[in-house]
Amino acid sequence: RGALIMVESRFNGEVKFPNTFFLQSVNVQGANFLKPTNWEESRFSRTVSFNGTIFHALSSFQGSIFFDKANFQNVKFLDAANFQGDVFCDDAKFNQGKFQQIVRFNSSYWQKNADFSSVIFNNQVNFNRANFHQFLFMKDAIFKQGLIFRESEFNQSVDLQSASILNQADFS
């Protein structure tokens, strides 16, 4: 029932935590996941820190709920990342991260601030039908392919100050 601490760990095989309820904090700072990771439908009741982690293969958090702060600062996703249908109940920080392949945040729900400042998206990023209740920060972010927000809702400002959108942005 204690915290899950995997700081600077290296995972050579697949990591599977689907449908897992984490009662305490999860600290995976600086870890390396060499194979696919599956965190689908998981519940994180306390703060989660993946700061500085590198995901070398597909990473899926689809349908997960983060009840406390979700920290993905300076994370590198070298393959596709899936956050479809996720619920972020507190602040979510992805700032200074890097997404090499497509990333999906479709139908995600953000109750507090979402910070994607200084993130580099080398491929398409999808926020279709996402719902943002507080601020969305994308200051200094770089979007090399499509930035898609079809049918998304914003209750506060979206900060795209000094962002570079090198392809197209769709807010239809």
Side-chain angles (χ1 to χ4, degrees):
R1 292 191 183 257
L4 179 61
I5 301 171
M6 299 184 286
V7 174
E8 296 187 19
S9 297
R10 178 183 169 106
F11 298 89
N12 295 321
E14 285 189 46
V15 174
K16 297 179 181 179
F17 282 107
N19 300 300
T20 304
F21 202 118
F22 297 95
L23 298 173
Q24 298 298 327
S25 61
V26 175
N27 186 349
V28 193
Q29 292 186 52
N32 264 284
F33 294 94
L34 302 180
K35 300 289 183 184
T37 61
N38 179 349
W39 308 81
E40 293 179 359
E41 304 289 335
S42 289
R43 306 295 181 255
F44 299 91
S45 59
R46 305 264 195 232
T47 299
V48 173
S49 179
F50 284 92
N51 296 345
T53 295
I54 301 173
F55 293 93
H56 294 264
L58 172 67
S59 302
S60 184
F61 290 82
Q62 182 171 335
S64 292
I65 300 175
F66 298 86
F67 291 103
D68 206 330
K69 290 177 173 47
N71 297 308
F72 288 87
Q73 295 162 293
N74 198 31
V75 171
K76 292 183 176 81
F77 290 93
L78 303 181
D79 203 334
N82 183 1
F83 291 88
Q84 292 185 101
D86 282 11
V87 176
F88 297 91
C89 299
D90 205 327
D91 290 343
K93 295 182 179 180
F94 288 85
N95 51 306
Q96 299 177 338
K98 188 171 189 177
F99 293 89
Q100 280 297 114
Q101 300 299 325
I102 192 166
V103 58
R104 292 181 175 89
F105 288 98
N106 300 337
S107 302
S108 54
Y109 188 81
W110 310 75
Q111 291 180 344
K112 300 280 176 106
N113 295 331
D115 189 354
F116 289 89
S117 299
S118 300
V119 171
I120 299 172
F121 295 96
N122 284 312
N123 209 309
Q124 189 176 76
V125 56
N126 293 298
F127 287 97
N128 297 330
R129 294 176 304 283
N131 193 311
F132 297 92
H133 280 266
Q134 295 297 322
F135 295 97
L136 172 57
F137 299 103
M138 294 185 152
K139 185 176 183 177
D140 297 313
I142 298 172
F143 302 93
K144 294 185 179 179
Q145 296 298 322
L147 169 60
I148 303 172
F149 283 101
R150 289 184 190 134
E151 299 179 42
S152 293
E153 293 182 24
F154 305 94
N155 292 341
Q156 297 291 336
S157 299
V158 177
D159 184 354
L160 287 163
Q161 179 181 345
S162 300
S164 298
I165 301 172
L166 305 178
N167 199 302
Q168 68 178 25
D170 182 351
F171 286 87
S172 59

